[in-house]
């Protein structure tokens, strides 16, 4: 399976605004940035959707929020984007999105996608959040550990007793 496993990344969307790898790979959204970067460079990526086992929907709610987009507008953007993928490609309709996944980090991603119930219900959500009580569905969603870069020493240094 490891030799044949393939992931297709939808190429659509505006690469200059919402759907590209975030440039900033530091801070509390670093997990999202590293995920986007690594999946695009992965040996599992295929450019042929007919070979894919999973489909990645490259939405970056953090990037949208960084541009000052309101939560309500983010929901509309995400919904319109996913609906455009459904209309343009046949892959969502084969499984109603069960073989699709996307990343949501912190409350920004949760709030931007919660208004798109068919996305939350069917697709796999890769969640990087300090709290998983926000609609996390254990039988299908996946936890992505949070990464803060650069790695700094905790207050008190390496001396555990003085922290």
């Amino acid at each position: 399976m490891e030799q044949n496993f393939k992931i297709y990344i939808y190429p659509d969307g505006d690469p200059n605004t919402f759907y590209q790898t975030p440039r900033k790979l530091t801070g509390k959204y670093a997990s999202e940035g590293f995920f986007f970067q690594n999946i695009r460079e992965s040996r599992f990526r295929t450019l042929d959707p007919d070979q894919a086992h999973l489909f990645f929907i490259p939405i970056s709610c953090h990037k949208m929020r960084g541009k000052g987009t309101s939560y309500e507008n983010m929901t509309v953007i995400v919904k319109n984007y996913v609906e455009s993928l459904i209309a343009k490609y046949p892959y969502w309709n084969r499984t109603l999105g069960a073989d699709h996944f996307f990343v949501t980090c912190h409350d920004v991603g949760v709030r931007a996608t919660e208004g798109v119930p068919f996305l939350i219900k069917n697709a796999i959500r890769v969640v990087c959040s300090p709290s998983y009580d926000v609609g996390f569905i254990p039988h299908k969603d996946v936890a992505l550990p949070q990464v803060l870069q650069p790695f700094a020493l905790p207050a008190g240094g390496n001396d555990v007793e003085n922290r």
Side-chain angles (χ1 to χ4, degrees):
M1 180 66 182
E2 189 176 331
Q3 293 178 0
N4 297 325
F5 183 72
K6 297 294 178 193
I7 298 170
Y8 179 73
I9 302 172
Y10 284 107
D12 299 324
D14 182 352
N16 295 317
T17 55
F18 310 124
Y19 309 106
Q20 66 183 7
T21 301
R23 287 182 295 152
K24 183 179 178 186
L25 296 179
T26 60
K28 67 181 183 178
Y29 295 99
S31 294
E32 178 183 290
F34 281 111
F35 190 91
F36 275 54
Q37 178 180 324
N38 288 328
I39 200 165
R40 285 199 165 98
E41 297 170 0
S42 173
R43 66 185 172 101
F44 299 113
R45 182 179 183 188
T46 181
L47 299 177
D48 181 357
D50 291 321
Q51 292 181 357
H53 298 94
L54 289 176
F55 298 83
F56 179 55
I57 302 171
I59 52 177
S60 174
C61 299
H62 164 60
K63 193 153 188 84
M64 284 186 265
R65 188 67 178 150
K67 293 193 171 288
T69 308
S70 71
Y71 289 119
E72 293 78 20
N73 285 341
M74 283 194 290
T75 297
V76 171
I77 290 167
V78 170
K79 184 177 184 210
N80 289 344
Y81 177 57
V82 175
E83 286 176 347
S84 75
L85 296 178
I86 292 169
K88 184 174 181 178
Y89 298 96
Y91 308 106
W92 178 279
N93 295 321
R94 297 186 309 190
T95 64
L96 294 177
D99 55 358
H100 285 62
F101 68 104
F102 64 101
V103 177
T104 59
C105 287
H106 295 276
D107 64 327
V108 173
V110 172
R111 290 184 64 187
T113 57
E114 69 187 356
V116 191
F118 64 90
L119 181 65
I120 298 300
K121 178 183 175 189
N122 298 330
I124 300 162
R125 199 166 46 142
V126 180
V127 182
C128 52
S129 178
S131 172
Y132 292 93
D133 62 350
V134 286
F136 186 84
I137 304 171
H139 69 271
K140 71 167 190 66
D141 292 340
V142 179
L144 176 66
Q146 290 182 318
V147 176
L148 293 174
Q149 290 283 344
F151 295 106
L153 291 175
N158 286 328
D159 185 3
V160 175
E161 281 78 33
N162 292 325
R163 288 188 194 168

